[in-house]
Amino acid sequence: MGNITIKMLAKQLNLSTAAVSKALRDSHEISPTTKQRVLDLAAILNYIPHPYAGSLREKKSRTIAVVIPEVADSFFSLALNGIEAVAIEKGYHALIYLTHENQEREREILKDLESGRVDGVIMSVAMKTNTFEHIRLLHQAVPLVFFDRVCEEINTAKITTNDYECGYLATKHLIEAGCKKIVLLSVSESLSISSRRMQGYKQALLDHQMDETLCRVIDYNEDLTMNYDLLIELLKSKDRPDGIVATVSKMTTEIYLACMERGLNIPNDIKVVCFSNDSNAPIFNPSLTTITQPAFEMGKLAATILFKALKRNSMVLSDESAVIPSDLLIRASTAGLL
Amino acid sequence: MGNITIKMLAKQLNLSTAAVSKALRDSHEISPTTKQRVLDLAAILNYIPHPYAGSLREKKSRTIAVVIPEVADSFFSLALNGIEAVAIEKGYHALIYLTHENQEREREILKDLESGRVDGVIMSVAMKTNTFEHIRLLHQAVPLVFFDRVCEEINTAKITTNDYECGYLATKHLIEAGCKKIVLLSVSESLSISSRRMQGYKQALLDHQMDETLCRVIDYNEDLTMNYDLLIELLKSKDRPDGIVATVSKMTTEIYLACMERGLNIPNDIKVVCFSNDSNAPIFNPSLTTITQPAFEMGKLAATILFKALKRNSMVLSDESAVIPSDLLIRASTAGLL
């Protein structure tokens, strides 16, 4: 029983796996001579295409992959629901892969997907990812749509929200509520969404003639205990902030607990706004002002675009990219002084 | 290029797919005559085993599937992290499938997994599942471990927590805090964990000579808006409860909001304890008393047992089942009167 793979054909022919794959799909990108070489060797070696190879119209796996950093975050779990709503309607399975924010893990997952296990991939890039070759290789093999955390370097559809405007809006809201010393709690600089939120924050400070020496950006760690200590130090300092913009939902618990520990009242001593989709924000003590992203809609649109491409049997195009705006939901954590 | 599947062999030979699969694996459960029939036909039709077929020792997919109801719940997302911690260590991918509490969806997913896409399956049963044939078929095809929501009818390893004791403990805690009218908010009766929690609740009422006419079990709906209305009605009634045990984490938001709407103070007018792994419970208004399950540990143990079976190339045994106890974490929502 043979078990010839595209990789083995590619090695024998001294071609890339992508080229062999394209030749077998009769792609116009491959010359007739090369195509013939590939088909001849495939016949000699009795190459059998992978039964789940998405590239063969009649042999769809009826499966898509969703590659995301984690699920313990309401944004991603809501986005997943949006993706699955479409997948179920189309009669597809969605396989969910978690990168745990780890680039090496992400690389392994994409390598596995390259082999044609699924028909298409929807992906949100890991925080630690700073090289993109593994994503480029996947994009050559299967249709790919990004959502939220996109890879600018790769030319395919990207579904995002208005991160720059939201960074601006959150900061402006704190300034208008009377804050003078606003801290932005940020994560990885390599993520485009983080840098956009930060740019919005900086522009809002500029536009409102804020004293920039009193405002600053603080990088958050993966280790949550370290963050709690970092917050305690921040709140102890002489120039402690009177406003916090947190760019990630999971920062909320420690911000509240650190303020409690330091005896600081939210919103009287310090005001807090978080990027968050947590449905419990209204029952926090005090209820939390949030930038709430259209998570479900973003997932749904990403899936809709992917299935359109699958139906046409084509790669996904960047001109189908879309930006869906988020909302500022004002609650007690940013209320003005009574 | 052929594309012969186990299913096609089974049909030709008038055998079950499980029998063909076992014959190809040289299982002792299949007679030598049948094995020869299968191997002969496989040779004639040039059957190539699926490259991801977990049944062939040398061709492991190095993939396991995790079938769960949802991820928008901290219990499941933590359990997933436990499963993945083990999978990553073993060099495996974990594919996550969501049933969305739907039996039909669950059936489709298990059917897909039966074909040998993965080496093993870890599963928590959907709320609506009340027949088990689809699970039985999967269990014949690949090693299977249950966690949390198990299927009693199937003889394999089950990782659970002490649901009966926790139902008892939560109720006893409310009785000791002075509650006289305790309502249990429950979900599907077909889930063994729900009925165990309810039995614990009832036993605690009995043991403490509580007036049972004042206490009752209320079934929750999938539609969250309906639940809010149901709670408002409950809190309006003359015999409104002074204590609530909520068996599912996602009930928390509406319980708090409905109490707020009705002007009832938690814990002075009504005390609340929830089965929940929400890391934000300490910052709720008031902080929430919880039965916190060992989610991460349950996932980790389920995966450890599955990998042990994969290493031995055997099915999973029920004598590896384990019960890991949960904790009652007392916070402000059940505090006694000041």
Side-chain angles (χ1 to χ4, degrees):
Chain A
M1 296 199 243
N3 188 25
I4 306 297
T5 63
I6 288 190
K7 218 166 169 179
M8 289 155 76
L9 294 178
K11 204 174 166 194
Q12 286 279 337
L13 295 162
N14 204 17
L15 292 170
S16 72
T17 53
V20 171
S21 168
K22 283 176 186 167
L24 291 168
R25 270 185 286 166
D26 201 23
S27 160
H28 65 89
E29 294 173 55
I30 306 295
S31 75
T33 327
T34 304
K35 265 184 212 166
Q36 203 51 56
R37 279 179 64 212
V38 172
L39 292 176
D40 287 353
L41 186 67
I44 290 165
L45 294 180
N46 192 23
Y47 166 72
I48 310 269
H50 190 300
Y52 285 110
S55 47
L56 295 158
R57 195 186 284 261
E58 70 287 10
K59 281 170 196 146
K60 295 255 189 227
S61 70
R62 300 202 74 77
T63 304
I64 60 166
V66 184
V67 182
I68 52 179
E70 53 167 336
V71 285
D73 178 295
S74 45
F75 172 79
F76 288 115
S77 56
L78 286 169
L80 260 182
N81 287 346
I83 292 169
E84 290 231 316
V86 181
I88 289 171
E89 191 197 304
K90 301 282 179 190
Y92 268 65
H93 290 289
L95 302 182
I96 303 151
Y97 288 80
L98 306 182
T99 61
H100 297 281
E101 304 288 11
N102 179 309
Q103 174 163 273
E104 193 43 50
R105 187 93 193 129
E106 184 177 88
R107 189 176 290 127
E108 279 169 23
I109 290 168
L110 298 200
K111 208 170 155 193
D112 186 52
L113 293 176
E114 247 182 78
S115 69
R117 186 193 279 272
V118 297
D119 297 350
V121 176
I122 296 174
M123 166 169 194
S124 204
V125 179
M127 215 178 263
K128 303 278 172 197
T129 297
N130 51 22
T131 63
F132 307 107
E133 190 54 24
H134 61 298
I135 306 180
R136 209 183 307 276
L137 287 171
L138 177 74
H139 180 227
Q140 283 169 7
V142 284
L144 171 67
V145 175
F146 290 111
F147 77 101
D148 195 43
R149 303 178 183 184
V150 306
C151 176
E152 301 289 356
E153 287 76 3
I154 288 168
N155 187 30
T156 189
K158 301 175 178 85
I159 310 305
T160 52
T161 183
N162 54 345
D163 289 294
Y164 172 86
E165 285 78 5
C166 288
Y168 189 96
L169 197 62
T171 311
K172 178 166 167 274
H173 174 61
L174 288 181
I175 296 170
E176 288 172 353
C179 296
K180 305 276 180 225
K181 293 179 271 186
I182 302 172
V183 159
L184 181 86
L185 294 177
S186 188
V187 286
S188 160
E189 308 244 344
S190 61
L191 281 181
S192 58
I193 57 167
S194 298
S195 67
R196 289 219 188 100
R197 289 171 190 177
M198 196 192 300
Q199 282 160 23
Y201 159 83
K202 287 183 175 166
Q203 191 60 48
L205 295 182
L206 264 178
D207 288 356
H208 294 81
Q209 292 87 41
M210 294 285 286
D211 185 346
E212 273 197 87
T213 59
L214 296 174
C215 299
R216 55 200 160 132
V217 176
I218 292 187
D219 266 328
Y220 232 57
N221 299 295
E222 264 194 295
D223 179 344
L224 298 181
T225 331
M226 275 177 67
N227 290 326
Y228 181 77
D229 296 345
L230 186 149
L231 282 165
I232 291 287
E233 281 313 306
L234 182 68
L235 297 176
K236 267 185 186 167
S237 66
K238 210 176 55 132
D239 268 343
R240 72 156 179 80
D242 57 8
I244 294 180
V245 179
T247 55
V248 175
S249 179
K250 73 168 76 163
M251 298 171 177
T252 315
T253 327
E254 290 126 44
I255 294 172
Y256 272 56
L257 292 177
C259 287
M260 233 179 268
E261 167 68 26
R262 293 295 306 153
L264 295 172
N265 178 277
I266 307 173
N268 292 338
D269 300 318
I270 186 165
K271 300 183 200 305
V272 180
V273 50
C274 287
F275 282 72
S276 174
N277 284 72
D278 194 326
S279 61
N280 283 322
I283 67 167
F284 288 173
N285 187 13
S287 65
L288 175 68
T289 296
T290 57
I291 296 284
T292 295
Q293 296 159 287
F296 185 88
E297 292 74 17
M298 286 169 77
K300 200 173 156 188
L301 184 57
T304 304
I305 290 173
L306 182 65
F307 281 110
K308 234 165 56 183
L310 294 182
K311 199 175 167 191
R312 289 195 311 251
N313 223 21
S314 72
M315 284 311 194
V316 185
L317 296 173
S318 59
D319 58 17
E320 299 193 80
S321 291
V323 179
I324 313 179
S326 298
D327 289 315
L328 172 68
L329 301 179
I330 300 174
R331 299 197 185 88
S333 69
T334 55
L337 288 171
L338 297 176
Chain B
M1 297 199 243
N3 187 26
I4 307 297
T5 63
I6 287 190
K7 217 165 168 180
M8 290 155 75
L9 293 178
K11 205 173 165 194
Q12 287 278 337
L13 295 162
N14 205 18
L15 291 170
S16 72
T17 52
V20 171
S21 168
K22 282 176 185 166
L24 290 168
R25 269 184 287 166
D26 200 23
S27 160
H28 65 90
E29 294 173 55
I30 305 296
S31 75
T33 328
T34 305
K35 265 184 212 167
Q36 202 51 56
R37 279 180 65 213
V38 173
L39 292 176
D40 287 352
L41 186 67
I44 291 165
L45 294 181
N46 192 22
Y47 165 72
I48 310 269
H50 190 301
Y52 287 110
S55 47
L56 295 157
R57 193 187 285 262
E58 70 286 9
K59 282 173 194 143
K60 295 252 189 231
S61 70
R62 299 202 76 75
T63 304
I64 61 167
V66 184
V67 182
I68 52 178
E70 52 167 336
V71 284
D73 178 295
S74 45
F75 173 79
F76 287 115
S77 57
L78 286 170
L80 259 183
N81 287 346
I83 293 168
E84 290 230 316
V86 180
I88 289 172
E89 190 196 304
K90 301 282 179 190
Y92 269 65
H93 290 289
L95 302 183
I96 304 151
Y97 288 80
L98 305 182
T99 61
H100 297 281
E101 305 288 12
N102 180 309
Q103 174 164 270
E104 193 42 51
R105 185 94 193 128
E106 185 177 88
R107 189 177 291 127
E108 279 170 22
I109 289 169
L110 298 201
K111 209 170 154 191
D112 186 53
L113 293 176
E114 248 182 78
S115 68
R117 186 194 279 274
V118 297
D119 297 350
V121 176
I122 296 174
M123 168 169 192
S124 203
V125 179
M127 216 178 266
K128 303 278 173 197
T129 297
N130 51 23
T131 63
F132 307 108
E133 191 52 25
H134 61 300
I135 306 180
R136 209 182 307 276
L137 287 171
L138 177 73
H139 180 226
Q140 283 169 7
V142 284
L144 171 67
V145 175
F146 290 110
F147 76 101
D148 194 44
R149 302 178 182 183
V150 306
C151 176
E152 301 290 357
E153 288 75 4
I154 287 168
N155 186 30
T156 188
K158 302 175 178 83
I159 310 306
T160 52
T161 182
N162 55 343
D163 289 294
Y164 172 85
E165 285 78 6
C166 289
Y168 190 97
L169 197 63
T171 312
K172 180 168 167 270
H173 174 61
L174 288 180
I175 296 170
E176 288 173 352
C179 296
K180 305 276 181 225
K181 294 178 272 186
I182 301 172
V183 159
L184 181 85
L185 294 178
S186 188
V187 287
S188 161
E189 308 244 343
S190 61
L191 280 181
S192 58
I193 57 167
S194 298
S195 67
R196 289 219 189 100
R197 287 170 192 179
M198 196 192 300
Q199 283 160 21
Y201 159 83
K202 286 183 175 168
Q203 192 59 49
L205 295 181
L206 264 177
D207 288 356
H208 294 81
Q209 292 86 42
M210 294 286 286
D211 185 346
E212 274 197 87
T213 59
L214 296 174
C215 299
R216 55 197 160 135
V217 176
I218 293 187
D219 266 330
Y220 231 58
N221 299 296
E222 264 194 296
D223 179 343
L224 297 181
T225 331
M226 276 176 67
N227 289 327
Y228 181 78
D229 296 344
L230 187 148
L231 282 166
I232 290 286
E233 281 314 306
L234 183 69
L235 296 177
K236 268 184 187 168
S237 67
K238 210 177 56 135
D239 267 343
R240 72 156 179 80
D242 56 8
I244 294 180
V245 179
T247 55
V248 175
S249 177
K250 71 168 76 162
M251 298 171 175
T252 315
T253 326
E254 291 125 44
I255 295 172
Y256 272 57
L257 292 177
C259 288
M260 235 180 267
E261 168 67 25
R262 294 294 307 151
L264 295 171
N265 177 277
I266 308 172
N268 292 338
D269 300 319
I270 186 164
K271 300 184 201 303
V272 180
V273 50
C274 287
F275 282 73
S276 174
N277 285 73
D278 194 326
S279 61
N280 282 323
I283 67 167
F284 288 173
N285 187 15
S287 64
L288 175 68
T289 296
T290 56
I291 296 283
T292 295
Q293 295 159 287
F296 185 87
E297 291 74 16
M298 287 169 78
K300 200 173 157 189
L301 183 58
T304 303
I305 290 172
L306 181 66
F307 281 110
K308 232 164 58 182
L310 293 182
K311 200 176 167 192
R312 289 195 310 254
N313 224 20
S314 73
M315 283 312 196
V316 184
L317 295 174
S318 60
D319 58 16
E320 300 192 79
S321 291
V323 179
I324 313 179
S326 296
D327 291 315
L328 172 68
L329 301 178
I330 300 174
R331 299 198 186 86
S333 69
T334 56
L337 287 170
L338 296 176

